[in-house]
Amino acid sequence: MPDAKGASFLLDSPGPLVDALRRQGWRVIGPKLGQGAIVYEEIESAADLPRGLTDEQEGGHYRLREGDPDRWFDYVVGPQNWKKWLFPARQKLWSAERSKDGFSVESHEDEWPKTAIFGARACEIAAIEVQDRVFDNGDFADSGYTKRRAGMLIVAVQCARSAATCFCASMNTGPRAEAGFDVALTELETGGFLVECGSDAGAAVLDGLELADASAAQQQAGEAVSHKAAAEQTRTMPANVESVLRDNLDHPRWEEVAERCLSCANCTLACPTCFCSDVEEVNDLSGDHAERWRVWDSCFSLDFSYIHGGAVRRSTLSRYRQWMTHKLSSWHDQFGTSGCVGCGRCIAWCPVGIDITEEAGAIAAEPLAQEV
Ligand code: SF4
Ligand code: SF4
């Protein structure tokens, strides 16, 4: 039994941990193979994990390949992320029924069993913490989100490799998760897992597992795994991107990228921090039943900026610039942090391979002269 958070142990495979979670009543959501990609769905045992697969990612490119059959987590992030569960793409908010006394309105909240997310990467934990600032923010807290977040346990997996699209090291969000998890696993090069206990809830889950204490050398081997993954990253975000974008709203680079951008919104849907939504009203033909739904939306859709008679951001240039400057610059003013965690999804899942690091780097390399 781990008696303190911060303690480290050894485990042969993730199987006993998945089994322990399920025995203790946790619904376990983890990585699975689905539609040729790694997706996040409920898993029943470690046999559901996509063991032996690895991924290949580049701008506009994602492929799964056969890898070392003994490795459990040699892929990085896929098209989905945990917001699919915490901030669902379609959510019923309330429904109303007409009766002889008028309308009765019933608010709707989905059932949320206690849920463990299994295999969250450092950048994904950082993304959840970014969304916490949006949805769990005191006076304007989203009750559904806060309920789901409170009933959640995080089992992190420390990345042992980076995809070519990853740049979390330059965003200080990875590849090693230092906090924000209940349990963290590092798959060691020699086989087996280093298990870190990050909270009392994590200690309770680990209770009853046969865990050997990790030696100092084994803990160092675990840290070396993350150092290697960090060293593999070639993409970086300019350190001064926040001020560079704020000061270069008329930079000609925006026109160049707008000529390539399809305004398809894929980047915002794949992004683990994007949170824009719309509200839809649905009635039946009789007018006796009505529902209100919240659905994901995107700043790339024309209607998103519709204000009294027309859209404010009519051009692709204005929409791409809005997305990128919000992510990397004005997000700091709004939420005190960057809106980007360097996961690289918007690069891999952009159908024309637009690369946020390349766009930011081009503007940072040749900024407009500032008027004095
Ligand atoms: S902007 Fe791109 S790299 Fe940054 S968090 Fe979103 S999807 Fe990941
Ligand atoms: S940047 Fe790429 S993914 Fe995003 S809207 Fe433009 S074309 Fe679509």
Side-chain angles (χ1 to χ4, degrees):
M1 156 72 179
D3 53 9
K5 69 180 199 183
S8 296
F9 309 92
L10 292 172
L11 194 60
D12 286 343
S13 88
L17 184 52
V18 176
D19 295 344
L21 285 163
R22 287 178 55 84
R23 260 198 322 274
Q24 292 177 28
W26 294 93
R27 173 177 63 162
V28 183
I29 300 170
K32 257 183 162 175
L33 174 62
Q35 300 177 61
I38 302 295
V39 295
Y40 293 150
E41 295 291 349
E42 184 162 356
I43 58 172
E44 293 184 359
S45 74
D48 290 336
L49 296 170
R51 189 179 189 185
L53 291 178
T54 188
D55 55 8
E56 182 185 279
Q57 304 198 39
E58 248 312 336
H61 178 90
Y62 176 97
R63 293 288 182 279
L64 288 179
R65 305 278 182 221
E66 296 291 331
D68 181 338
D70 293 331
R71 300 280 298 173
W72 290 88
F73 297 103
D74 259 356
Y75 43 85
V76 294
V77 296
Q80 296 186 349
N81 61 72
W82 304 103
K83 87 176 175 186
K84 165 185 166 179
W85 292 93
L86 281 166
F87 167 46
R90 285 188 65 78
Q91 237 182 301
K92 184 154 97 171
L93 300 177
W94 52 255
S95 58
E97 294 291 341
R98 192 203 297 268
S99 66
K100 61 180 173 29
D101 303 320
F103 272 100
S104 58
V105 177
E106 193 176 327
S107 64
H108 180 87
E109 289 212 354
D110 291 327
E111 289 296 309
W112 180 256
K114 69 176 197 174
T115 297
I117 63 171
F118 195 95
R121 306 307 177 102
C123 66
E124 297 185 309
I125 294 171
I128 290 171
E129 288 170 352
V130 169
Q131 287 215 321
D132 286 349
R133 290 170 185 249
V134 177
F135 292 119
D136 187 5
N137 57 8
D139 288 348
F140 304 104
D142 179 307
S143 60
Y145 181 92
T146 51
K147 184 181 80 177
R148 290 188 284 274
R149 184 74 169 94
M152 196 175 94
L153 183 123
I154 297 180
V155 178
V157 165
Q158 309 286 17
C159 288
R161 55 173 285 270
S162 291
T165 40
C166 296
F167 60 98
C168 61
S170 69
M171 301 304 292
N172 293 318
T173 54
R176 181 175 164 73
E178 302 285 355
F181 56 80
D182 298 288
V183 176
L185 302 177
T186 305
E187 190 166 11
L188 298 169
E189 295 225 334
T190 48
F193 288 84
L194 187 71
V195 183
E196 293 165 75
C197 179
S199 71
D200 292 341
V205 170
L206 296 176
D207 190 12
L209 288 181
E210 301 224 350
L211 298 166
D213 286 338
S215 67
Q218 287 161 329
Q219 291 180 42
Q220 280 170 5
E223 286 181 17
V225 165
S226 302
H227 291 314
K228 177 184 147 288
E232 287 172 1
Q233 295 188 12
T234 52
R235 283 178 160 88
T236 58
M237 183 59 75
N240 59 347
V241 67
E242 180 187 351
S243 59
V244 161
L245 294 190
R246 189 177 55 231
D247 294 342
N248 286 276
L249 298 177
D250 294 321
H251 199 283
R253 185 76 186 194
W254 299 117
E255 284 173 27
E256 288 176 40
V257 70
E259 288 196 358
R260 297 172 61 209
C261 176
L262 308 172
S263 228
C264 68
N266 235 22
C267 46
T268 54
L269 301 181
C271 178
T273 66
C274 279
F275 60 87
C276 289
S277 62
D278 194 5
V279 178
E280 291 178 352
E281 314 281 8
V282 187
N283 320 7
D284 66 2
L285 286 176
S286 69
D288 291 340
H289 179 81
E291 293 179 356
R292 178 173 286 183
W293 287 74
R294 183 167 75 175
V295 295
W296 284 0
D297 202 348
S298 168
C299 53
F300 278 97
S301 70
L302 183 59
D303 282 350
F304 187 73
S305 68
Y306 186 96
I307 301 173
H308 188 63
V312 174
R313 289 188 284 273
R314 302 182 73 81
S315 66
T316 298
L317 183 156
S318 62
R319 296 202 285 278
Y320 185 87
R321 183 178 57 192
Q322 156 66 24
W323 174 69
M324 194 164 136
T325 53
H326 186 211
K327 279 271 145 210
L328 298 170
S329 185
S330 55
W331 204 295
H332 286 272
D333 305 327
Q334 206 177 358
F335 299 111
T337 180
S338 174
C340 174
V341 296
C343 71
R345 286 181 175 90
C346 58
I347 303 172
W349 293 94
C350 172
V352 293
I354 292 174
D355 176 348
I356 191 172
T357 63
E358 190 182 336
E359 298 310 312
I363 294 175
E366 292 186 53
L368 297 176
Q370 298 301 306
E371 290 176 11
V372 283

